[in-house]
Amino acid sequence: MEISITKSNPGNLAGRSDKLAVHMKEEMDRNALESDEDTLEAESFGATTGIINADDPDELDQWARKFQISVQDLKAAIVLHGHKIPDVKKYLSI
């Protein structure tokens, strides 16, 4: 079915495209995604090998900040999956 867009057509669609564009822009602005600049990306913090020394509070704090988790959660991950960085990353889905 084809609709002719003319001034004489009572179902005139002329001008509606502008209103639709404005509406779509408003919806996009209202539903805009928040920036994910502060989210964690696996490649963004180096080490893919090695271990996390659970006996060193400074190292635990450093890795907890890098993984964006608490020190307690990091300790739990180490207890459950070992000290190897790749294993901890895999457990944390990083």
Side-chain angles (χ1 to χ4, degrees):
M1 178 175 169
E2 191 173 318
I3 298 176
S4 173
I5 300 174
T6 64
K7 290 184 179 183
S8 62
N9 183 349
N12 189 352
L13 298 178
R16 290 190 186 180
S17 62
D18 292 337
K19 290 179 185 177
L20 179 61
V22 169
H23 175 72
M24 288 176 65
K25 170 118 176 60
E26 289 171 354
E27 284 297 311
M28 289 173 62
D29 290 344
R30 185 176 15 254
N31 298 316
L33 295 176
E34 293 181 19
S35 171
D36 63 353
E37 292 175 356
D38 63 341
T39 59
L40 195 58
E41 296 293 333
E43 298 80 27
S44 68
F45 56 87
T48 57
T49 61
I51 63 167
I52 299 171
N53 182 357
D55 295 326
D56 182 350
D58 293 332
E59 187 170 340
L60 285 173
D61 186 55
Q62 172 194 358
W63 281 106
R65 278 186 277 118
K66 286 183 181 186
F67 291 146
Q68 297 180 349
I69 61 173
S70 69
V71 171
Q72 292 79 14
D73 289 342
L74 178 57
K75 286 179 180 180
I78 291 170
V79 168
L80 292 170
H81 295 279
H83 295 272
K84 293 181 181 177
I85 294 169
D87 295 341
V88 173
K89 283 183 174 183
K90 184 176 178 180
Y91 171 72
L92 296 173
S93 300
I94 297 175

